[in-house]
Amino acid sequence: MTTFFTSDTHFSHARIIELAHRPFSDVDHMNAEIVKRWNTLVMPDDVVYHLGDVALGPIDDSLAKVSLLNGYKVLIDDGNHDRPFMSRGKAKYQYWFDRYAEVFQEIAPPGLLGIAKGFVVNISHFPYDGDSHGADRYAKDRLPDEGRILIHGHTHA
């Protein structure tokens, strides 16, 4: 069993091809290649921590793509483009959480993760500081920087 970390798949998000300079001709090509490349690398008994921004586009199509992916998939529930994040504190939160729970084996909050004997890191969608768009957005959603290594997404770098 191998443990993987990924983030910002942005299934069905056409504009991410341009914004992140992804080498795909269109959204269908991108979605198919992500699934193909993931399943080439990730075996069914591997664990994958997805650090958010799973999808931005037609949600039924996007979540269906997650079901095609190998591995025991754990979503860290704080990607700013994910429906549960966008609906926190609103009536639709549980609906969206449940929809994502249909395709992820586990949904967990950002925070500490032991990855080896005595070695603990933080995992989150957001970096301690910095952003993908200049100014630091989502300050209240970031983990405090207490000197621990952080594995994160969000910046597309």
Side-chain angles (χ1 to χ4, degrees), residues 7-74:
S7 181
D8 298 276
T9 46
H10 287 263
F11 281 115
S12 301
H13 181 194
R15 194 146 178 259
I16 198 67
I17 295 169
E18 172 192 341
L19 294 172
H21 309 290
R22 292 186 177 186
F24 306 112
S25 56
D26 57 38
V27 117
D28 291 332
H29 180 216
M30 178 181 74
N31 288 345
E33 278 297 311
I34 291 171
V35 170
K36 178 179 136 194
R37 293 176 190 191
W38 179 303
N39 289 339
T40 298
L41 183 64
V42 177
M43 298 296 107
D45 64 336
D46 292 337
V47 175
V48 181
Y49 289 90
H50 194 301
L51 305 179
D53 282 6
V54 175
L56 188 65
I59 197 64
D60 291 330
D61 179 58
S62 301
L63 291 179
K65 301 295 184 257
V66 176
S67 295
L68 301 174
L69 302 173
N70 286 341
Y72 182 91
K73 299 174 292 288
V74 180

Side-chain angles (χ1 to χ4, degrees), residues 65-130:
K65 301 295 184 257
V66 176
S67 295
L68 301 174
L69 302 173
N70 286 341
Y72 182 91
K73 299 174 292 288
V74 180
L75 175 63
I76 302 305
D77 178 30
D78 67 346
N80 57 294
H81 286 299
D82 292 320
R83 300 321 197 272
F85 179 90
M86 292 188 283
S87 63
R88 280 190 186 150
K90 299 176 184 167
K92 293 278 277 187
Y93 173 78
Q94 193 61 51
Y95 170 80
W96 287 117
F97 184 93
D98 292 346
R99 290 289 310 277
Y100 278 65
E102 292 172 5
V103 296
F104 284 91
Q105 284 72 39
E106 190 176 333
I107 299 177
L112 298 175
L113 176 69
I115 60 173
K117 272 193 174 178
F119 188 68
V120 177
V121 298
N122 271 330
I123 56 175
S124 175
H125 178 68
F126 299 105
Y128 290 135
D129 58 45

